[in-house]
Amino acid sequence: MMLSSLASRRISPRRLTRNLLQWRATHSRAPLNAVSEQDLAHFTTILEPSSILSTLPPMALPATELDPFNQDWMGKYRGNASTVLKPKTTQQVSEIVKCCSEKRIGIVPQGGNTGLVGGSVPIKDEVVISLANMTQVRSFDPISGILIADAGCILQSLTDYITPHHHIMPLDLGAKGSCQIGGNVATNAGGLRLLRYGSLHGSVLGLEVVLPDGTILDQLTALRKDNTGYDLKQLFIGAEGTLGIITGVSILTPPAPQASNNVILALPHFDNVLPLYQVVKRELSEILSAFEFIDRTAYELAVKHGQGRALSDEDIEGASCFVLVETSGGRREHDEEKLNTLLENLMEGSLINTGVLSQSPAQFSSLWALREGVTEAVSKEGKAYKYDISVPLHTFKECVDATREHLRSKGLLQEGAVRHVLGYGHVGDGNLHLNVVADAYTQEIQDALEPFIYELVQSHRGSVSAEHGIGAMKTHALHYSKSDVSIAWMKKIKELFDPRGIMNPGKVLE
Amino acid sequence: MRPSPACLLNILVPVKRAVDYAVKIRVNPQQTGVDLNVKHSMNPFDEIAVEEAVRIREKLKDEVKSIKAVTIGPPKSVDTLRTALAMGADSAIHVEIPESAPSPEPLGVAKTLRAIIDKNKEIDLVILGKQAIDDDAGQTGQMLAGLLGWSQATFASKVDIDVVNKVATVLREIDGGSEQLKCRLPLIITTDLRLNEPRYASLPNIMKAKKKPIEKLKPTDLGVDLTPILETLKVTEPPKRVGGSKVGSVDELVAKLKDAGFTGV
């Protein structure tokens, strides 16, 4: 049988373990069940009619009604869920999950469905449990800044809620108008403020999670410090909904900066980015809150799709890439003085060609829009293959160029196939978003890109997913950045929490 | 009060430091005005005015001799002048009023501008924003034209200047569409939204702006009294929008419409 045939060949111990685990994973569990009409009837005893969407009778909605839940934001991943449930309370979530556990029905927890790795949509016909109806802010303490909210609260709404109290959310990303805090936590979202406020592993103080058997794990705490036993919440942060459904989040919100400024700098060569970063870090020190990089192609796409107002032609002449620097501090005059000194020094040196400094809140937003809008511009331009990688800063350009050349050598860099290869990202965090824009999603392009890019990342000992997560997209690529021992223990933990394998099956781990 | 006959354009651009348009404003507890402890920036229509002056220079080059920015406001207003200088104005005038003084009214502003123009006899073109977004008065440009006896072309969406013949062609936004005016210089123009899109201030220009001169004046130096002649009685928020409700069927909708007094046509 399988085991003996493996033992009889000369295979390295690592490969042996991996094959064994794969075999076990695909054979140890009974297959999952789809939602049946009886299940649907049972759900109607737990939830109000407006909280259920289903193509099954008696509701019998057309399948297109469920499209927003079955399809991801990029239009790349598509599932076949027949039923979407939108509970309003944690108790309802718990009862639904208990039912699904007993009936072995696969569950896909879904927040704003803005994920970029296919982690938030069904692979087959799992039931979608959307947190969109859980939108209550449970409490906010303006003195400590601790916010406790339902997982379905949209990030922008939370920002709006705490703004009058002069606090801001510790994370910010382009999807803020649609993404939900539960999803942010489940994916350990990074974003534009990580440089300054750190990751969610640090700012999340407590979680309320519904475990795969329906048990409610209530660790919602408003305590800044609590060293009592194993810190279980860290497992759920970044688990992408595979260990449980996050229903409540307790998060520490920092005080809002009194003064914010931003400036876009035009650089003649990519090689100047690193020395520029060093200078900026040194001269701005504690007021530096973002350092973002966009290459020329990314900038032009953002402008082309009207994401923000363009810089003047003479400002961008000769620029091969741009850097957006943001400062946030307590005192306007102090920040401006630091910023002006920095800019004067840079203008005298040769690291930058020129730059533009925002003169008003409107221009501040407009400059940010040029960076935040790149993601949307890329999606409008064509079908995007997105690779979110962590590699050493000095290799950013090399990675983009190598990918472009590789595609060119395969004859794929032309009309009808790949149109652009561009890079942008959080230089300050060593995180590059490598985007390949094509006219269509094709297997040929996919095969050219993978495993080429993953191997490239591995050669730099980088991460194949800096912040986007694994989802369904990179389950096979996990081993490029994590050892077999790590992966084996991840599977043990998954087995422990979810022995029936119902929680977001097929995501993160194979 | 005609400017000297030399065929060169001297442009004056008055600018105002106003509450930034992105700010969520709140009425103050005394109901006398709006809470001013918020972000301020250059009035967007004035930004368009500065941008237009700079574009006129880019088009006419040496025919434009000077672009002067002016503001009437408290000490902080100097930031607005720096922005104008960074966008391309050559020099600026700050008519400083105390921090606690009430905001100048359009007639007061117009009189001050007239005094400045009387002092700087070579100015033959004044470009202003059509209105300030804090008071939405929309009167200053027109009053200034009246006081000076100059032609005016307001709500401009396109401007063409012929310096040699001292004539300007201006396309104005009017209710019915647009109207084209041919005006003799000297001229007052007020800008409308579609005239142009203001540029970002680039770093080299920001550096240069620091060295450009800003003349400081007081209203008394110009013989102008800015005491308000209007009294604001009360400022209140508009009534809060009440939420709507969802209906379950067409019949319910029809019933609700009937209740509300809507009849069939």
Side-chain angles (χ1 to χ4, degrees):
Chain A
M1 228 201 59
M2 255 298 230
L3 275 170
S4 54
S5 67
L6 285 168
S8 65
R9 284 153 68 195
R10 280 234 219 126
I11 302 174
S12 76
R14 270 165 69 125
R15 205 174 166 97
L16 185 74
T17 325
R18 199 180 333 133
N19 284 347
L20 188 61
L21 289 168
Q22 277 177 0
W23 176 86
R24 222 193 260 158
T26 49
H27 289 78
S28 64
R29 301 193 197 108
L32 297 172
N33 298 319
V35 177
S36 67
E37 283 176 44
Q38 294 95 306
D39 297 320
L40 183 58
H42 182 67
F43 292 143
T44 52
T45 64
I46 306 171
L47 300 172
E48 300 151 27
S50 58
S51 293
I52 306 179
L53 291 158
S54 185
T55 55
L56 300 172
M59 239 185 143
L61 290 173
T64 47
E65 288 284 308
L66 270 60
D67 274 353
F69 303 93
N70 265 322
Q71 188 156 311
D72 81 318
W73 184 78
M74 298 181 295
K76 195 174 172 200
Y77 298 95
R78 211 179 158 63
N80 284 321
S82 67
T83 306
V84 174
L85 303 173
K86 300 166 81 173
K88 288 196 173 148
T89 66
T90 308
Q91 188 56 37
Q92 287 177 346
V93 176
S94 164
E95 286 175 39
I96 300 168
V97 173
K98 203 177 302 182
C99 165
C100 290
S101 173
E102 281 162 17
K103 297 297 212 59
R104 296 190 101 101
I105 298 172
I107 296 173
V108 173
Q110 189 178 92
N113 197 9
T114 55
L116 299 170
V117 288
S120 50
V121 292
I123 295 180
K124 290 196 285 229
D125 53 10
E126 303 88 277
V127 65
V128 174
I129 298 184
S130 165
L131 279 297
N133 276 342
M134 292 185 63
T135 54
Q136 297 300 310
V137 169
R138 301 192 193 178
S139 73
F140 177 65
D141 176 11
I143 300 186
S144 62
I146 296 177
L147 172 70
I148 303 184
D150 281 350
C153 291
I154 292 177
L155 186 59
Q156 184 61 48
S157 328
L158 291 176
T159 301
D160 292 339
Y161 185 93
I162 60 179
T163 297
H165 301 281
H166 307 295
H167 277 257
I168 55 169
M169 293 302 285
L171 78 161
D172 187 26
L173 45 154
K176 62 190 122 188
S178 311
C179 64
Q180 296 168 11
I181 190 69
N184 289 146
V185 174
T187 55
N188 190 24
L192 307 157
R193 280 184 196 153
L194 193 130
L195 181 69
R196 175 67 168 264
Y197 300 112
S199 94
L200 286 173
H201 280 293
S203 40
V204 169
L205 301 177
L207 291 179
E208 180 190 77
V209 181
V210 172
L211 298 175
D213 65 356
T215 316
I216 300 174
L217 174 65
D218 180 3
Q219 288 199 270
L220 263 189
T221 169
L223 301 172
R224 186 74 185 81
K225 297 165 99 173
D226 180 16
N227 279 350
T228 51
Y230 302 148
D231 194 4
L232 295 176
K233 68 175 186 289
Q234 298 298 347
L235 281 175
F236 299 103
I237 301 173
E240 302 183 43
T242 56
L243 298 178
I245 304 184
I246 296 172
T247 50
V249 176
S250 171
I251 189 165
L252 182 64
T253 67
Q258 300 292 315
S260 302
N261 274 299
N262 62 8
V263 55
I264 287 191
L265 303 169
L267 278 63
H269 311 289
F270 173 78
D271 296 334
N272 296 7
V273 173
L274 268 193
L276 176 65
Y277 181 46
Q278 283 180 301
V279 169
V280 168
K281 250 200 312 189
R282 195 178 58 230
E283 300 214 15
L284 294 182
S285 69
E286 80 283 358
I287 65 169
L288 177 64
S289 55
F291 192 97
E292 298 284 315
F293 156 80
I294 54 173
D295 71 13
R296 182 72 184 242
T297 317
Y299 166 81
E300 284 173 353
L301 276 182
V303 166
K304 176 176 171 189
H305 291 282
Q307 295 299 320
R309 188 149 55 85
L311 275 54
S312 75
D313 289 332
E314 58 179 16
D315 287 334
I316 58 175
E317 198 183 303
S320 71
C321 59
F322 301 90
V323 164
L324 185 147
V325 176
E326 184 197 66
T327 66
S328 302
R331 206 154 163 252
R332 199 174 70 105
E333 293 81 6
H334 165 257
D335 291 4
E336 281 182 4
E337 200 186 310
K338 271 192 153 117
L339 194 48
N340 282 324
T341 313
L342 167 70
L343 295 174
E344 273 169 13
N345 290 343
L346 288 176
M347 286 306 294
E348 277 167 31
S350 58
L351 285 177
I352 65 171
N353 284 347
T354 181
V356 295
L357 177 65
S358 63
Q359 299 290 304
S360 67
Q363 289 194 353
F364 179 89
S365 307
S366 182
L367 288 183
W368 260 121
L370 282 173
R371 159 62 184 91
E372 289 186 285
V374 177
T375 315
E376 201 181 305
V378 161
S379 287
K380 284 183 177 167
E381 180 74 3
K383 301 294 183 198
Y385 286 90
K386 290 177 171 297
Y387 294 94
D388 160 50
I389 56 183
S390 276
V391 284
L393 295 182
H394 67 270
T395 62
F396 273 25
K397 180 163 188 291
E398 190 190 306
C399 290
V400 177
D401 289 345
T403 307
R404 194 184 295 116
E405 279 320 300
H406 181 75
L407 288 168
R408 199 195 304 273
S409 71
K410 299 256 177 195
L412 288 169
L413 196 65
Q414 58 180 306
E415 279 286 314
V418 173
R419 297 229 248 106
H420 307 284
V421 178
L422 54 123
Y424 59 97
H426 317 289
V427 167
D429 315 328
N431 178 195
L432 174 70
H433 293 308
L434 173 58
N435 276 230
V436 174
V437 187
D439 282 327
Y441 287 123
T442 71
Q443 196 58 45
E444 207 188 342
I445 300 176
Q446 171 96 9
D447 291 340
L449 290 172
E450 298 175 27
F452 175 78
I453 291 179
Y454 296 140
E455 285 172 354
L456 183 61
V457 170
Q458 190 181 39
S459 72
H460 291 299
R461 299 178 67 110
S463 163
V464 291
S465 187
E467 58 180 6
H468 290 174
I470 298 294
M473 181 185 169
K474 299 180 194 173
T475 50
H476 63 286
L478 200 48
H479 68 93
Y480 286 102
S481 297
K482 284 285 188 315
S483 69
D484 288 340
V485 174
S486 303
I487 297 177
W489 276 90
M490 287 188 215
K491 290 191 175 173
K492 287 190 200 192
I493 293 172
K494 167 72 173 173
E495 189 73 30
L496 184 64
F497 276 93
D498 185 19
R500 296 187 166 200
I502 62 166
M503 203 54 78
N504 222 0
K507 313 280 173 54
V508 183
L509 301 169
E510 281 176 305
Chain B
M1 219 64 65
R2 291 282 164 224
S4 56
C7 279
L8 290 171
L9 206 54
N10 289 282
I11 310 178
L12 181 70
V13 186
V15 296
K16 183 177 184 184
R17 176 178 177 268
V19 172
D20 186 81
Y21 83 89
V23 167
K24 278 201 167 67
I25 52 170
R26 271 181 283 263
V27 177
N28 64 24
Q30 301 85 12
Q31 290 198 324
T32 52
V34 153
D35 177 18
L36 292 173
N37 212 352
V38 292
K39 284 205 170 92
H40 284 63
S41 56
M42 190 193 292
N43 179 32
F45 294 106
D46 299 348
E47 264 189 331
I48 296 175
V50 175
E51 174 69 20
E52 192 60 23
V54 176
R55 285 194 192 191
I56 291 173
R57 166 178 270 157
E58 283 172 352
K59 200 153 63 164
L60 301 177
K61 308 211 197 312
D62 292 333
E63 286 181 309
V64 173
K65 181 151 174 259
S66 72
I67 301 175
K68 205 188 282 278
V70 58
T71 197
I72 300 153
K76 287 199 201 135
S77 300
V78 76
D79 293 335
T80 322
L81 290 176
R82 288 268 169 239
T83 305
L85 292 171
M87 284 171 76
D90 304 319
S91 61
I93 302 173
H94 184 187
V95 179
E96 202 170 317
I97 58 176
E99 184 78 42
S100 51
S103 196
E105 291 168 356
L107 185 56
V109 172
K111 286 182 178 168
T112 312
L113 293 176
R114 176 185 54 179
I116 291 175
I117 292 169
D118 284 347
K119 270 181 66 179
N120 296 280
K121 296 205 193 330
E122 69 276 6
I123 290 173
D124 37 17
L125 179 63
V126 185
I127 311 181
L128 306 92
K130 70 172 179 179
Q131 65 201 63
I133 59 166
D134 48 9
D135 56 25
D136 276 342
Q139 301 163 1
T140 309
Q142 293 87 330
M143 284 178 171
L144 181 60
L147 290 172
L148 288 170
W150 288 11
S151 15
Q152 58 174 289
T154 52
F155 314 116
S157 60
K158 195 167 177 338
V159 171
D160 283 302
I161 316 258
D162 179 353
V163 184
V164 173
N165 296 317
K166 293 172 146 302
V167 145
T169 313
V170 179
L171 196 65
R172 300 179 63 218
E173 309 248 1
I174 59 172
D175 284 346
S178 15
E179 175 186 61
Q180 197 176 59
L181 286 184
K182 196 158 158 185
C183 320
R184 259 201 293 269
L185 262 51
L187 175 64
I188 309 280
I189 296 178
T190 73
T191 66
D192 211 317
L193 204 55
R194 282 196 284 215
L195 181 55
N196 61 49
E197 217 186 334
R199 61 194 58 196
Y200 293 114
S202 67
L203 293 184
N205 288 341
I206 295 176
M207 306 291 150
K208 275 188 235 158
K210 296 208 182 120
K211 305 195 182 77
K212 293 182 183 172
I214 297 184
E215 189 189 343
K216 274 210 187 327
L217 293 172
K218 285 202 281 292
T220 45
D221 298 336
L222 297 163
V224 176
D225 178 10
L226 288 175
T227 316
I229 56 177
L230 298 171
E231 185 192 341
T232 302
L233 295 177
K234 191 157 93 156
V235 178
T236 53
E237 285 189 18
K240 280 222 165 10
R241 192 165 170 265
V242 185
S245 58
K246 273 197 173 145
V247 294
S249 67
V250 174
D251 292 327
E252 205 186 323
L253 175 63
V254 172
K256 287 214 162 153
L257 286 173
K258 281 197 180 145
D259 285 339
F262 289 93
T263 53
V265 182

